[in-house]
Amino acid sequence: MLKGYNKDFLPDKPVICITKSSLRRLPLPAKQNKSPCALRAGGVRLAKKRLKKSMAGCYPYRKLSVHKCRKPLRKRVRKLTPPAVGLDNIGTNCYANSGVQCILCVPELNAYFLTERFAKDLQSSESINFCRAIAEVYRSIFTSSEAANVSSKPMTDLCPLGQNDTHEFFTKSLFPRLGEEVQFIPNSSAHKKGIIESVFGGVLANKTVCKTCFKESVKHDAFLDLSLAISGNSLEECLDQYFLEEELKDIYFCERCNSLQSAVRGVRMHQCPKYLILHLKRLLPERKITKVIKYPVELALTKFTSSRAEYELQAVCVHTGSGAGGHFLTFAKRAAQWYMFNDQIVYKKYESEVLKQEAYILLYARSR
């Protein structure tokens, strides 16, 4: 009898085949009986080796075989993590540097520009364009050491001059320029999404219900980012205000009633993006709102959509100074470590420090 094993486990016939499920049910020796996972902690090979050694000399057995379960293959993006390098400020391009440090948290964009897949999608063969400029900056970043700085001049030369902010860099430079240069023409089969639309694109459902005949009207609007008015003390309160139902009094034209009626209008998240950009409206025309808004590392949008949507914080863009002029810097995650990117200056930061910032733009990556 095997020492330390339960006699009920010993089979009457020779062991021919051992599966993973039977390895999980294999009792441990009395001296090692601490955890049911202890035996298989070292993997299937170690479990087979122990089992084979323990049964030697007791009774004849054939070669053990472990059947591995075949799981469907999933398409996974290659995790391209950039080094923590700074970007040179050549004047007033801190807004662009801050935006680049944010989008470097997106592996899909890193793979797109580093492998030059964008070259196949370009609509023009011009040597000077925004895509090629960004790709040049990307290559400089990924081939640099952490002690060096990289110049973002190839890209900023194509951006508007003067004082700008990071949100305008996204909405007026990055998104529209890439949309124009990497444009897909619909064919008879299907319309292929562009890289920006596939990464940051989502769909909102605007639903209006007439209070007289209760006719529902739904309109879908695509978005790349959400601009939230500052309300309350937390990001959740800002989102609640954004998705709050609005009552329309005698200003909604109902097609069924054929007249102006009162209605209720609400917004829901119809399709959640892979990466969610949230813009907090701090910079108003007359002043800047300096109120600190609490934001979580893990954000759940389940109550705003019909499907499960959970996100994890990747980057925080911060604006310092007044509304008339200021400076932009970014706190971004690189391989599970937080850094502060202030143009050429790069420091490691704790997560607790990141969550205390006066956030202007938040970048979340969908986890579920």
Side-chain angles (χ1 to χ4, degrees):
M1 183 181 294
L2 295 178
K3 183 178 180 181
Y5 280 90
N6 193 340
K7 64 179 182 179
D8 297 332
F9 171 74
L10 296 177
D12 298 331
K13 298 180 181 181
V15 177
I16 298 177
C17 180
I18 297 295
T19 62
K20 276 190 174 182
S21 60
S22 61
L23 286 176
R24 294 191 183 99
R25 295 193 298 269
L26 178 65
L28 294 175
K31 296 181 180 180
Q32 302 178 4
N33 196 10
K34 297 181 180 180
S35 169
C37 299
L39 184 62
R40 63 180 185 274
V44 176
R45 288 185 178 179
L46 184 57
K48 289 171 58 179
K49 187 176 180 180
R50 290 179 179 177
L51 183 63
K52 186 175 180 180
K53 185 177 180 181
S54 63
M55 292 182 178
C58 295
Y59 46 82
Y61 66 94
R62 297 180 184 179
K63 185 178 180 181
L64 302 178
S65 62
V66 177
H67 301 298
K68 297 182 179 180
C69 299
R70 294 182 178 270
K71 297 183 179 179
L73 296 177
R74 298 180 181 179
K75 294 181 179 179
R76 296 184 178 181
V77 180
R78 183 183 177 187
K79 298 297 182 182
L80 295 174
T81 303
V85 298
L87 297 175
D88 292 332
N89 191 338
I90 57 176
T92 58
N93 66 317
C94 63
Y95 69 95
N97 291 346
S98 182
V100 170
Q101 298 291 4
C102 284
I103 63 176
L104 281 171
C105 298
V106 182
E108 288 87 345
L109 287 180
N110 298 345
Y112 186 75
F113 288 111
L114 288 175
T115 57
E116 295 191 356
R117 293 208 316 259
F118 69 91
K120 301 178 181 179
D121 302 331
L122 287 176
Q123 298 297 307
S124 174
S125 59
E126 297 179 4
S127 58
I128 301 177
N129 54 51
F130 203 70
C131 280
R132 297 187 188 277
I134 291 182
E136 184 177 345
V137 175
Y138 265 71
R139 284 193 296 269
S140 301
I141 291 174
F142 276 85
T143 56
S144 300
S145 61
E146 294 192 358
N149 291 326
V150 175
S151 175
S152 58
K153 191 174 184 300
M155 179 186 61
T156 54
D157 286 344
L158 302 177
C159 293
L161 299 176
Q163 291 285 346
N164 293 283
D165 65 47
T166 305
H167 184 247
E168 290 180 349
F169 169 74
F170 287 144
T171 58
K172 296 183 178 180
S173 294
L174 182 66
F175 295 161
R177 294 290 293 273
L178 292 183
E180 293 173 2
E181 296 179 4
V182 187
Q183 183 179 7
F184 292 96
I185 302 176
N187 52 30
S188 56
S189 59
H191 173 60
K192 188 177 180 181
K193 292 183 178 181
I195 182 63
I196 296 298
E197 186 181 359
S198 62
V199 172
F200 300 107
V203 179
L204 292 175
N206 296 278
K207 183 179 179 180
T208 307
V209 181
C210 177
K211 298 183 72 174
T212 302
C213 65
F214 301 101
K215 182 180 183 299
E216 296 182 358
S217 175
V218 180
K219 180 183 178 183
H220 294 93
D221 295 324
F223 72 93
L224 297 175
D225 69 294
L226 296 180
S227 294
L228 308 177
I230 294 180
S231 175
N233 299 315
S234 65
L235 180 63
E236 287 82 356
E237 294 181 66
C238 296
L239 288 169
D240 288 338
Q241 182 66 28
Y242 184 86
F243 291 98
L244 184 66
E245 288 187 348
E246 178 186 7
E247 189 168 349
L248 308 175
K249 293 185 178 181
D250 300 329
I251 58 174
Y252 171 69
F253 182 81
C254 179
E255 296 180 355
R256 179 180 294 176
C257 299
N258 198 23
S259 62
L260 294 177
Q261 299 291 339
S262 297
V264 177
R265 176 178 296 170
V267 182
R268 298 279 293 176
M269 191 84 74
H270 179 70
Q271 181 180 337
C272 298
K274 293 181 181 179
Y275 290 84
L276 179 64
I277 298 178
L278 298 177
H279 165 233
L280 297 177
K281 296 180 180 179
R282 293 189 178 276
L283 302 178
L284 304 179
E286 64 279 359
R287 63 189 179 93
K288 176 189 174 183
I289 301 176
T290 58
K291 185 178 182 180
V292 177
I293 299 296
K294 296 180 181 179
Y295 47 92
V297 175
E298 296 180 354
L299 178 66
L301 299 180
T302 307
K303 63 180 180 179
F304 306 121
T305 181
S306 57
S307 60
R308 187 176 181 181
E310 296 179 4
Y311 290 84
E312 185 177 351
L313 185 64
Q314 300 295 317
V316 180
C317 175
V318 178
H319 178 266
T320 61
S322 63
H327 181 67
F328 288 93
L329 53 96
T330 293
F331 294 82
K333 189 185 290 187
R334 299 285 188 267
Q337 172 64 52
W338 284 96
Y339 291 88
M340 182 199 72
F341 297 94
N342 186 1
D343 290 333
Q344 301 95 332
I345 304 172
V346 180
Y347 287 125
K348 286 185 178 181
K349 292 292 181 179
Y350 292 105
E351 186 179 90
S352 57
E353 297 178 86
V354 177
L355 297 178
K356 296 179 181 178
Q357 300 302 316
E358 193 177 295
Y360 179 60
I361 292 176
L362 299 167
L363 175 63
Y364 282 90
R366 187 169 185 177
S367 55
R368 292 184 182 179

